[in-house]
Amino acid sequence: MESKWLKDSLFTGFTANALSLGTVLSLGWFWQRINGCHTVYRGQDGNIDYENIQAVMEPADSDVTVVNQALAPETIWHYVRRRVSDCGIESLDGPVAVIGIDSDGDMIPLTPNSPLSMQIDKVSGGKLKVRWRYSEIGEDITPTGFRIYIDSGSGFDFESPDGTVAYNLGGSGEYEWTSDALIDGQQYRFCVRSYATDAGESLNTDYVAAIADSGGPLAVTGLLASWEAY
């Protein structure tokens, strides 16, 4: 793939991109990375700026520090990496890394998709069962599992989950969790959020609700029986 920075280094003169890639020597312009490298680009809201390299990685590097990143609050940035051959030819983009910046200027951790299709069922003994689905389509990060929160009238405490369920990679996408015995006749609301270890938790606040029933249905009354002789 033809690159503007490669043409700059060969025909235009001394540029920041050419310097970062090691294409300048005291007596002329050369391609010094004989083993190739990776170039890192960024762009706001998916519009990648391929004219300015943000970082360069050696072929064996697994990570890189991108310096001088003044990212404005309430913005979203996309970073991509390209492989560069031993003669300076770039590949197509690798997977995109998405970085969100909140109103305080802090990075928003990546979060899995929110759970879908929540439902609730009554179970004997005053228990309630919550069921939901998870779709991997368009996710920024794969979840580690799900956290279940219960509100019995004072609001959800999203700092203290009432239960967790592990994510089943490659499974059916259907999950369920059953509560302990709850207070008979009291309404409970349930919110399920997906989370990833060392990353974030989905911020959905949708819920399902039901009234706990530990008594079960009323006993049958007025039962009659009859018989006939043959």
Side-chain angles (χ1 to χ4, degrees):
M1 177 175 292
E2 190 176 76
S3 303
K4 180 180 182 300
W5 53 260
L6 182 58
K7 289 191 291 186
D8 285 348
S9 66
L10 294 175
F11 305 115
T12 306
F14 191 88
T15 66
N17 282 334
L19 179 62
S20 68
L21 286 163
T23 54
V24 58
L25 289 176
S26 58
L27 298 179
W29 298 90
F30 302 88
W31 179 252
Q32 297 182 53
R33 295 181 181 270
I34 59 174
N35 294 320
C37 62
H38 288 96
T39 50
V40 178
Y41 300 93
R42 81 173 188 194
Q44 188 173 350
D45 299 324
N47 299 314
I48 306 299
D49 177 7
Y50 295 108
E51 296 189 0
N52 292 288
I53 297 169
Q54 301 299 316
V56 178
M57 304 172 63
E58 295 301 324
D61 287 348
S62 60
D63 57 69
V64 65
T65 299
V66 184
V67 299
N68 301 322
Q69 299 292 287
L71 306 181
E74 298 186 336
T75 55
I76 297 176
W77 298 85
H78 293 68
Y79 289 79
V80 296
R81 188 177 73 165
R82 287 181 168 182
R83 181 76 169 91
V84 185
S85 71
D86 55 0
C87 58
I89 304 301
E90 281 189 326
S91 70
L92 297 174
D93 293 348
V96 177
V98 182
I99 303 296
I101 307 298
D102 64 19
S103 58
D104 296 322
D106 298 321
M107 187 177 75
I108 302 171
L110 293 178
T111 61
N113 291 339
S114 299
L116 303 170
S117 305
M118 284 197 300
Q119 300 181 48
I120 191 166
D121 301 314
K122 293 184 179 182
V123 182
S124 62
K127 300 177 182 180
L128 294 172
K129 178 192 291 184
V130 185
R131 296 181 287 120
W132 66 93
R133 294 183 57 84
Y134 182 82
S135 172
E136 303 167 355
I137 298 174
E139 66 182 5
D140 291 326
I141 189 171
T142 300
T144 302
F146 305 91
R147 294 176 177 141
I148 298 90
Y149 300 92
I150 303 177
D151 170 26
S152 58
S154 58
F156 290 108
D157 180 3
F158 290 118
E159 298 297 324
S160 301
D162 295 278
T164 59
V165 173
Y167 174 67
N168 182 18
L169 181 63
S172 65
E174 298 180 351
Y175 299 86
E176 64 179 41
W177 180 84
T178 302
S179 72
D180 294 331
L182 303 171
I183 298 174
D184 181 52
Q186 182 165 323
Q187 178 174 273
Y188 293 86
R189 301 191 305 168
F190 292 77
C191 179
V192 181
R193 288 180 166 186
S194 54
Y195 76 94
T197 303
D198 298 327
E201 179 178 280
S202 62
L203 300 179
N204 56 292
T205 57
D206 52 319
Y207 62 86
V208 290
I211 297 175
D213 182 2
S214 61
L218 297 175
V220 176
T221 60
L223 181 64
L224 300 173
S226 62
W227 62 277
E228 295 181 7
Y230 293 95

